[in-house]
Amino acid sequence: MKIIFCDFSSDHFLSLNGDSSDTNLNGGECMNPMVVNAFPVGIVHVINSGNVESEGDLRMEPSVGLEFNSSDEARDFYGLYAMRVGFKIRTGQLYRSRRDGSVSSRRFVCSKEGFQLNSRTGCPAFIRVQRRDSGKWVIDQIQKDHNHELGLEGENNSPVLQQKPPVAPKSLVEVLRRPKVKLLGQIENGGSSPSGIINFKRQKRGGDGRQPLPEPYTGLEFNTANEAYEYYQSYAESVGFRVRIGQLFRSKNDGSITSRRFVCSKEGFQHPSRVGCGAFMRIKKKDLGSWMVDRLNKDHNHDLGEQTVYVNKFSTASKKFIEEETNGMVSMDLGEMNTGKLIKRSRESKIGTDWYPVLLEYFQTRQAEDTGFFYSVEVDNGSCRSVFWADGRSRYSCSQFGDVVILDTSYRKSNYVVPFATFVGVNHHKQPVLLGSALIANESKECFTWLFQTWFKAMSCCRPKSIIADQDMAIQQAITEVFPGAHHRFSSWQIRAKERENLRSMPIEFRYEYEKCIYESQTTVEFNTTWNSLVSKYNLKGNAWLQQMYDKRESWVPLYLRGKFFAGIPIGETVESIFGTQVNGQTPLREFIPRYEQGLEQCREDERKEDFNSFNLQSFSQTKEAIEEQCRRLYTFTIFKIFQDELLQSYSYIGIKTYEEGTICRYLVRRSGNENDKHAVTFSAVNLSVNCSCQMFEFEGVLCRHVLKVFKLLNIRELPSQYILPRWLRNAEYRILCGAESRVSSQELKAFMIWSLRETACKYVECGTTSVEKYKLAYEIMREGGKRLY
């Protein structure tokens, strides 16, 4: 296909088939031909161009079913169509196969899609191509309507465009992908192109037109580590990937840094966007102070050139590594302001713009049905970002069971379409209970701080004692800021993932000793001694990850967590997901709301069943102990079963008094026939207070077998009231209220009373509207109650 561009003012034309010729146009002769080849539209820059019209392939409109050999061909086609119609395109979301992680579909969108920049208008126009089993890519979704005016920016005098009959049946993509041909005449000599000529040229990343840097190689030397980092950043930008700061290694003699690793941003598996890429460059410090590349891997396991270009260019000024903050372990994308101060790069929202109108419509509908429904949207420079919502039932549940909160971000375990997260509590049946839902724009400290503050406000300023959440520094900092004093326990799935990543190269012997140190240490002295011995034995004092985990041991090592209340959620495990597989990071928009409602209703139906069973059925006693009968009447089925098992186990233990002074006694309680299974129990007769070295009550809120053994020795036939937590009782609502006055602030007490009365009233309304007779009965009950109240 030959396309000829003419500018009659300069008698030049361009032939897009790569050859030049003299051609008659409208009876006029075009002289001094200039030849240029088009490039894929995704990297085409148009200067001084107008609306271009042509025939054949150039006139083809995108339609469902249109087939391409590759996704790049589809992008090129859509880009050329966009240029003809009068808009620009961007590469949108990609979706990966759950089986092998390969790209299964792609979206190409109008450049004005979304709201992240002021120039964007939330335009819905896009095409989506899907890969078939044959390897072909087919358009399966399309939206042609734009919400803005069309027309190329800087539109000026339009060039005249005509076309000769095609000389060969070549596809549009073949034409666009021919090698670049230099312009003749003035352009070849460095002069400016003639007026009206469309100048196609490849647009380099960063927009400065630089040629790719020389590739790195082993032995390449730099004056400083900063210089090496800047070089690798520039090289990565020209090739099409991004860089993170990897591990650093220090001298055993003086602690100075001896080598550094710079890795591809897709290295590792801690984030869904990372695919374990092995590309990296390591530099080593030489004796004279310079740095040399001593190890290098240039092979990537993912496509290059598909990531968003840098928002800010790195200046030539020196960039200092933040060793105190990163310590070679935390990888951050850093940008430099004009002042030279390093800051985190701003990140775009990971929530598709098409989600906001759907969610807002759902929120408004729910708010009309439930006066306790709460929602909030984070707005930044006029753009929607994170979203949080909770219905009245969730807010009421938080007033009962908000002492332990889990931020479930399990969507991060795999490639996700939507960053859906939930706040989860544990009810008096040890079931997961929803305390709020959110879509998280990104994993920045600011984002999580907004999320925690919004949850705190929605839950009437309920402060959890303990929070289970991921290890990310952004989450740690947000929890410290919003909930100072709360115990942050790291998510078990993330700890296991990091262990698999960082310990896979270690010998089996090390992993065995590592797990023994973590899970079998009984005292802090024993743990510290064993850990230091392990690190020294395997020469791992310079291992940055191990040092980081040791510094944060109070947030994940079982020994340090036993004395904190976590409602009995086992260390190394977490509660069952509220929504199971019904709603996750892969749920498409059109199915999200129905699945969400269905999963939530199923969760609450399970809770109602347990409530019914606890009030209407009786557990069987297995002893004649008065203490068992007391707990059988008070506890829910689930909690009573835990208590009953501890009571029965206490019969296998022997208690020996080892110390007594005044009203204080100490007992050694050990299992018969097992000298290693032993714990110390201290008892005070003044207020019947007791504590055990196993710390089961502090962790779970149920007394252990060791304490029950001592109670039996002391002939204590009922549990002291302070050891019966209201949150575990059958009528937890009323019991929490009765015992709340002495344990909570007046603000928390008022919030609980509001939600308790609101929930009770909602039950009257729900039941009273099923028939006219029930309405009359409910109305009469509430009216009589109102008379007594006033």
Side-chain angles (χ1 to χ4, degrees), residues 96 100-101 241-242 244 261-280 297-304 307 412-415 497 500-502 504:
R96 295 185 181 272
D100 56 10
F241 67 98
R242 298 184 69 174
R244 290 189 293 111
R261 278 169 58 98
F262 308 125
V263 301
C264 173
S265 63
K266 291 184 177 289
E267 181 263 356
F269 298 95
Q270 298 97 323
H271 189 275
S273 64
R274 300 183 187 175
V275 294
C277 181
F280 75 96
N297 185 356
K298 293 189 282 189
D299 297 330
H300 298 260
N301 65 354
H302 56 89
D303 295 335
L304 298 178
Q307 294 182 325
R412 304 168 76 191
K413 293 181 183 179
S414 60
N415 294 311
R500 285 194 299 270
E501 179 182 346
N502 290 279
R504 58 188 173 190

Side-chain angles (χ1 to χ4, degrees), residues 395-414:
R395 299 174 76 185
Y396 175 55
S397 296
C398 188
S399 67
Q400 299 173 280
F401 311 115
D403 46 2
V404 177
V405 175
I406 303 150
L407 178 61
D408 183 0
T409 54
S410 54
Y411 70 87
R412 304 168 76 191
K413 293 181 183 179
S414 60

Side-chain angles (χ1 to χ4, degrees), residues 675-686:
E675 293 290 336
N676 295 322
D677 186 355
K678 58 186 177 182
H679 286 279
V681 177
T682 304
F683 175 79
S684 173
V686 175

Side-chain angles (χ1 to χ4, degrees), residues 221-245:
E221 288 195 23
F222 304 92
N223 292 324
T224 65
N226 293 331
E227 188 178 295
Y229 179 56
E230 291 175 3
Y231 161 79
Y232 198 50
Q233 280 275 21
S234 300
Y235 164 74
E237 183 180 352
S238 67
V239 173
F241 67 98
R242 298 184 69 174
V243 173
R244 290 189 293 111
I245 300 171

Side-chain angles (χ1 to χ4, degrees), residues 393 396 733 758-768:
R393 179 66 195 178
Y396 175 55
E733 306 168 11
R758 186 193 294 269
E759 184 68 16
T760 304
C762 285
K763 291 178 181 178
Y764 274 97
V765 172
E766 184 179 348
C767 186

